[in-house]
Amino acid sequence: MPPSDQIRLLIIEDVPQVAQYIRDLLNAQSRVKLLDVLTDGSRAIASIKELRPDVVLVDALLQGRIKGPKLVEQIHEAELGVPVIVLTVPQNPIEPDVAIGIHGVLSMPFSGFDLMTRIAAVQKDHAAASTTGASRVFSVFAPKGGVGKTTLAFNIAVALAQLEQRTVLVDGSLQFGDLRALLKVPMDAPSILDLPTDRVAESDLQDVLWRDPSGIDILLAPPRVEMAEMITPRDIDKVLSLLRRVYGSIVIDMSSVLNDINLSFLDLSDTILEIVTYDSTTIYNTVAVADAFRMIGYPASKVRYLVNRADSPGGIDSVELERALGRVPEHNVVSDGMLVVSSNNEGVPFVLANPSAPISQDLHRVAAELLSANGIVRPAAAGRR
């Protein structure tokens, strides 16, 4: 699976031989993903806005109506938030200068190692200096149905949005479209299947995403069960890669299976929020999944446990649950059947329907702790203003 830190590269190069040489170098690795090669500088600004690359490579000797240096200047003045590497030759020496939009320089001839090293260094330095913060993917997973996973995923997404995070909720239950049913979305509303199969741009997202009144965007699952087979792991990679460039928080409501699609979601996630209840079958399945995650190679820090209905132990002691998990669960959420059912029946998040309820307070706390655990500090009271 492609790593979640894959670097998205856009190239503006009008010499076919140079463009093909770079393509060949990139084809031999998986760290950098080539989005497109433009031969016309006049198309660069629009393409950057649509494709959302992590790094742009511009030939200093670019010809045409917009020359290389002028294009670098335009990208800088447009404040697109993307670092630029300038490709040059020894006869045309250029020095990096962030103040004028040149974040790195690569001089020909160069090797694959030179190219990858420069791209990675520029992207890392730019990310460290960025004040906008990084995007985070939170997969909400449960090894058993009936634990409140979809309701929690919806409300966590809304709570994250209340913490000043631009948030999108992805319906990862591709066969049965749980969110479509919960939110009473029309069957003809666009879904992930309506995105292009070759290359996804931000403008495509705007046409497909469902705007929920709660303030979050939702990428719906296909409306029919058999349509789920049309989605591939490669599609998941492309969609999440773009969502990371547009949203601060991405919440995925997953189905309760470990198949290729769900492994793609999990591989690309920063945090797996696993839902567990005081139910013997759920605990048994949770332990089995923990073993599977270890075999896959997920670090323990990637998984955080949320105990739903934590005030309803059903005869199982909390110590027994901690012993089964091998640690103390990170989050606890109390039950409130009347609020949850009434909110779900109306298709609204209970964190907005009654923000002062203990269950809503718990969810706001979960959202703040998820951001904090991922290095994003937000005021804890933002969701309750």
Side-chain angles (χ1 to χ4, degrees):
M1 298 289 179
S4 60
D5 60 351
Q6 193 175 46
I7 301 172
R8 295 158 53 86
L9 177 68
L10 176 66
I11 298 175
I12 298 94
E13 171 60 74
D14 59 351
V15 179
Q17 295 87 342
V18 175
Q20 187 58 52
Y21 176 66
I22 296 175
R23 285 183 186 273
D24 292 341
L25 294 178
L26 294 175
N27 287 337
Q29 53 79 58
S30 60
R31 176 69 191 281
V32 178
K33 178 179 181 179
L34 179 60
L35 298 176
D36 201 358
V37 177
L38 305 179
T39 60
D40 183 359
S42 64
R43 297 171 48 208
I45 300 296
S47 293
I48 292 172
K49 290 179 178 178
E50 284 204 355
L51 299 179
R52 299 277 183 158
D54 297 303
V55 178
V56 175
L57 181 64
V58 177
D59 189 344
L61 303 179
L62 183 71
Q63 299 302 302
R65 188 162 58 88
I66 301 178
K67 304 295 192 292
K70 183 63 177 178
L71 176 58
V72 173
E73 179 183 337
Q74 288 183 353
I75 295 173
H76 179 61
E77 292 178 348
E79 298 182 349
L80 299 173
V82 59
V84 174
I85 298 175
V86 173
L87 181 62
T88 189
V89 293
Q91 299 88 339
N92 182 42
I94 297 175
E95 292 296 325
D97 188 347
V98 176
I100 62 173
I102 302 176
H103 298 76
V105 176
L106 187 62
S107 183
M108 295 187 284
F110 55 85
S111 65
F113 177 80
D114 297 330
L115 176 64
M116 305 311 162
T117 301
R118 191 59 45 81
I119 292 173
V122 166
Q123 190 272 339
K124 181 179 179 181
D125 291 344
H126 181 72
S130 174
T131 59
T132 59
S135 175
R136 295 293 183 268
V137 177
F138 306 106
S139 282
V140 182
F141 176 79
K144 180 180 177 295
V147 299
K149 172 185 58 63
T150 296
T151 297
L152 288 172
F154 176 41
N155 282 271
I156 288 171
V158 175
L160 286 167
Q162 292 288 294
L163 290 171
E164 301 176 4
Q165 287 283 297
R166 188 180 183 191
T167 304
V168 62
L169 176 60
V170 178
D171 193 345
S173 181
L174 298 179
Q175 279 193 316
F176 297 102
D178 295 336
L179 287 170
R180 191 183 291 266
L182 175 65
L183 304 181
K184 301 172 177 58
V185 178
M187 291 298 290
D188 60 352
S191 75
I192 188 173
L193 274 180
D194 293 289
L195 291 171
T197 57
D198 52 351
R199 190 178 68 198
V200 184
E202 184 177 353
S203 58
D204 300 315
L205 285 176
Q206 302 309 311
D207 294 335
V208 170
L209 292 171
W210 176 264
R211 270 76 181 180
D212 190 73
S214 64
I216 64 172
D217 292 337
I218 300 175
L219 183 59
L220 294 164
R224 296 176 59 88
V225 172
E226 69 275 11
M227 291 179 175
E229 297 182 359
M230 301 170 67
I231 308 296
T232 68
R234 184 169 176 269
D235 295 328
I236 300 303
D237 171 45
K238 289 188 296 183
V239 171
L240 287 185
S241 183
L242 178 58
L243 290 176
R244 277 185 177 273
R245 299 294 302 154
V246 180
Y247 293 91
S249 291
I250 302 161
V251 180
I252 305 171
D253 175 34
M254 299 179 56
S255 61
S256 299
V257 295
L258 290 179
N259 53 21
D260 287 345
I261 293 293
N262 273 0
L263 287 175
S264 294
F265 282 132
L266 296 173
D267 286 351
L268 295 167
S269 298
D270 297 289
T271 295
I272 301 169
L273 184 63
E274 189 166 351
I275 312 302
V276 62
T277 60
Y278 286 109
D279 169 79
S280 58
T281 305
T282 302
I283 295 173
Y284 177 86
N285 289 357
T286 301
V287 173
V289 167
D291 289 337
F293 284 172
R294 279 191 290 269
M295 293 293 292
I296 292 171
Y298 294 157
S301 59
K302 183 168 182 169
V303 181
R304 296 175 69 88
Y305 291 107
L306 184 153
V307 181
N308 194 25
R309 306 161 191 152
D311 55 342
S312 303
I316 297 178
D317 191 89
S318 61
V319 175
E320 184 179 346
L321 175 61
E322 293 168 10
R323 186 182 303 113
L325 299 179
R327 68 201 229 201
V328 177
E330 285 78 6
H331 312 286
N332 290 276
V333 176
V334 299
S335 57
D336 189 334
M338 183 173 296
L339 175 60
V340 171
V341 172
S342 62
S343 297
N344 284 355
N345 286 342
E346 296 176 9
V348 300
F350 58 73
V351 294
L352 295 185
N354 188 350
S356 62
I359 187 174
S360 299
Q361 296 287 311
D362 284 347
L363 261 293
H364 283 301
R365 187 161 41 250
V366 169
E369 290 171 354
L370 285 174
L371 294 181
S372 178
N374 281 270
I376 302 175
V377 179
R378 290 289 184 270
R384 297 180 288 279
R385 289 181 294 181

